[in-house]
Amino acid sequence: MPGTVRLLCLGASALLTGLAAPPAPAAAHELPRSYVVSRAAGVLPEGITIDADGTMYVSSDGTGALYRGSVRSPRLHPFHAAGLAGRPSTLGVHTDSNGRVFSVGGAELTVHDRHGRLLATRTAQSGPLAAPVLNDLVITDDAVYVTDWANPVVHRALIRHGSLGPLEPWLDIRPGFPQFPAQYWLLNGIVADPSGTTLLVASNGTEAVWRVDVAGQEITQVDLGGASFGADGMVLSGRTLYAVLNYGAPHGVYVAELDAQLRTGSVTHRITGQRFDLPTTLARHGCRLYVVNSQNDEPPGSPPYTVSAVDDPTCVRPRQP
């Protein structure tokens, strides 16, 4: 949060000092480049979110647990969230402006406060193909939208006066590509523009990102110049789309610049290489991107399970004097 503004009477020398350039924030290289989520076997981290104050939450596909830490410290610790003991897997995790922690796994969406107290649980209905496997979520001013890995469906829970409504099927996305086999849509990441009127939904199966107009439920493919773009997790900042690809392309982070309507764009940066171990998603904080190394391949990897931090290639840094 912004610090408190204090007005002081300054002498001439102090005033001149105050007019000088403020100290630069800590350089990116002073923060850890790797974060240990857990050294316990079978954790297989999946989702990540970072609050404005640098608090980091990471979910576990292997155990359903949540972990919490800070961008300033290389070690995360279990986040003791009530009501998760019976959930075998937790995938997407995000926080809202009040610091509440939203996460999904299996058929459940849960909401916790920053102390781990359970505030709400919402259960999704079965879809047209199978029981739901909730994958990722995005929080807007008036709703939470959740993708379903097992069904070509986006679920929605409305937010009214701070209360979360039931989680209901909201959009069958198949009309966007009706000839594609329904069981292979494999919906992954989901993001929204600041107004909450436009969603971008990643489909690993179609190797595309789909734009959804919330009011009219119009579904169109984002035109990225014909490139295969089967994203897993995504972050949208203004017109910049950050995405993790781990299928059909070298593993890593891909950055695309989109037009003002989020309909077309082009890939401008690719961050690939051996620094990632089956990455699944990412978070953006400051001038860095934090990428989850899931190790969730065949056979699964082994501890320690980590998050890698890399420089945001789009970040404009101040020139050195």
Side-chain angles (χ1 to χ4, degrees), residues 237-254:
S237 176
R239 291 161 52 180
T240 304
L241 179 67
Y242 303 84
V244 167
L245 271 64
N246 52 32
Y247 173 77
H251 294 182
V253 176
Y254 291 68

Side-chain angles (χ1 to χ4, degrees), residues 100-179:
R100 293 175 295 196
V101 184
F102 292 65
S103 64
V104 294
E108 286 188 347
L109 162 67
T110 55
V111 186
H112 294 85
D113 68 14
R114 64 182 72 241
H115 304 291
R117 291 186 289 250
L118 182 63
L119 302 178
T121 300
R122 300 292 183 265
T123 302
Q125 304 172 25
S126 290
L129 303 181
V133 178
L134 303 183
N135 193 314
D136 200 6
L137 68 146
V138 66
I139 307 164
T140 68
D141 288 341
D142 58 5
V144 180
Y145 297 89
V146 184
T147 56
D148 190 337
W149 172 262
N151 297 279
V153 171
V154 177
H155 304 265
R156 182 176 73 172
L158 293 174
I159 300 172
R160 292 287 184 267
H161 307 295
S163 297
L164 188 67
L167 186 60
E168 299 175 326
W170 173 72
L171 176 69
D172 188 322
I173 203 166
R174 286 177 289 181
F177 192 0
Q179 63 270 38

Side-chain angles (χ1 to χ4, degrees), residues 1-193:
M1 291 195 175
T4 302
V5 176
R6 298 179 180 177
L7 299 179
L8 302 174
C9 293
L10 300 176
S13 61
L15 179 60
L16 290 175
T17 301
L19 291 175
H29 67 267
E30 295 177 0
L31 296 174
R33 282 292 177 180
S34 182
Y35 298 80
V36 175
V37 177
S38 177
R39 297 186 184 277
V43 166
L44 305 175
E46 174 74 20
I48 185 171
T49 190
I50 301 177
D51 268 352
D53 65 0
T55 301
M56 179 189 306
Y57 294 89
V58 175
S59 64
S60 168
D61 184 13
T63 68
L66 289 169
Y67 294 83
R68 181 168 64 184
S70 167
V71 297
R72 293 172 287 277
S73 173
R75 185 74 168 88
L76 279 70
H77 302 278
F79 176 58
H80 299 292
L84 293 188
R87 180 193 283 178
S89 173
T90 299
L91 301 180
V93 56
H94 289 283
T95 56
D96 67 5
S97 58
N98 295 311
R100 293 175 295 196
V101 184
F102 292 65
S103 64
V104 294
E108 286 188 347
L109 162 67
T110 55
V111 186
H112 294 85
D113 68 14
R114 64 182 72 241
H115 304 291
R117 291 186 289 250
L118 182 63
L119 302 178
T121 300
R122 300 292 183 265
T123 302
Q125 304 172 25
S126 290
L129 303 181
V133 178
L134 303 183
N135 193 314
D136 200 6
L137 68 146
V138 66
I139 307 164
T140 68
D141 288 341
D142 58 5
V144 180
Y145 297 89
V146 184
T147 56
D148 190 337
W149 172 262
N151 297 279
V153 171
V154 177
H155 304 265
R156 182 176 73 172
L158 293 174
I159 300 172
R160 292 287 184 267
H161 307 295
S163 297
L164 188 67
L167 186 60
E168 299 175 326
W170 173 72
L171 176 69
D172 188 322
I173 203 166
R174 286 177 289 181
F177 192 0
Q179 63 270 38
F180 191 79
Q183 67 270 32
Y184 297 129
W185 271 85
L186 308 178
L187 300 185
N188 288 311
I190 183 169
V191 293
D193 70 345

